[in-house]
Amino acid sequence: MVSRQRGWSVFDGVRFLPATPDAFMAEINAAIATLEYVHASAMLNPSPSTPSNNKTFNGNAPVYDASIAEEAYRLACLALAEGKVDEALHSLNVSLSKCPPEKTDTIDKIRSLISHTTQQLLMYSR
């Protein structure tokens, strides 16, 4: 019996497509901002000159920190409550970039809130 495996597709990670082109572009911009933040954070954290216990430091590896992600999420919720949608979106992007990848439910929750916040920001900007 021949087994057919499906090849890789750019839509493999897509769970849903936003309803409007503006929302779709906002999702793309949020993803780009997150990647830029992770890259900039990695560049700002220089590798130690003398690694302890012969451990190596990879400056290109993203650094995840659940406590920073949680604090950024909390600040985003406060900003949303105060009507500061742009600040909330920034904090949510920080939270997403610092959230450990094994916390898939949390990542989905943050992404959902980013989508909702982006839609609010688009409504306010019109």
Side-chain angles (χ1 to χ4, degrees):
M1 179 181 267
V2 176
S3 67
R4 293 186 179 200
Q5 291 183 344
R6 199 178 111 226
W8 179 84
S9 170
V10 295
F11 297 107
D12 284 346
V14 176
R15 295 188 182 157
F16 68 94
L17 288 175
T20 65
D22 289 336
F24 186 60
M25 288 305 297
E27 291 272 333
I28 291 171
N29 287 338
I32 290 170
T34 301
L35 288 173
E36 288 175 346
Y37 180 81
V38 169
H39 183 68
S41 295
M43 297 293 286
L44 289 174
N45 295 327
S47 60
S49 58
T50 56
S52 60
N53 299 331
N54 293 328
K55 293 181 183 176
T56 59
F57 177 79
N58 183 356
N60 292 330
V63 179
Y64 301 109
D65 188 339
S67 62
I68 292 175
E70 187 174 332
E71 180 67 16
Y73 182 82
R74 189 182 67 73
L75 290 174
C77 291
L78 287 173
L80 278 175
E82 294 175 1
K84 300 176 182 176
V85 181
D86 52 342
E87 289 180 25
L89 189 58
H90 175 73
S91 293
L92 286 169
N93 283 320
V94 170
S95 179
L96 184 62
S97 70
K98 291 296 183 181
C99 189
E102 63 271 6
K103 305 261 186 192
T104 55
D105 290 342
T106 304
I107 290 173
D108 289 342
K109 183 178 179 181
I110 295 169
R111 284 185 176 155
S112 174
L113 195 53
I114 286 173
S115 177
H116 177 71
T117 305
T118 302
Q119 289 172 358
Q120 283 186 342
L121 190 60
L122 289 173
M123 286 188 338
Y124 290 144
S125 66
R126 289 183 181 177

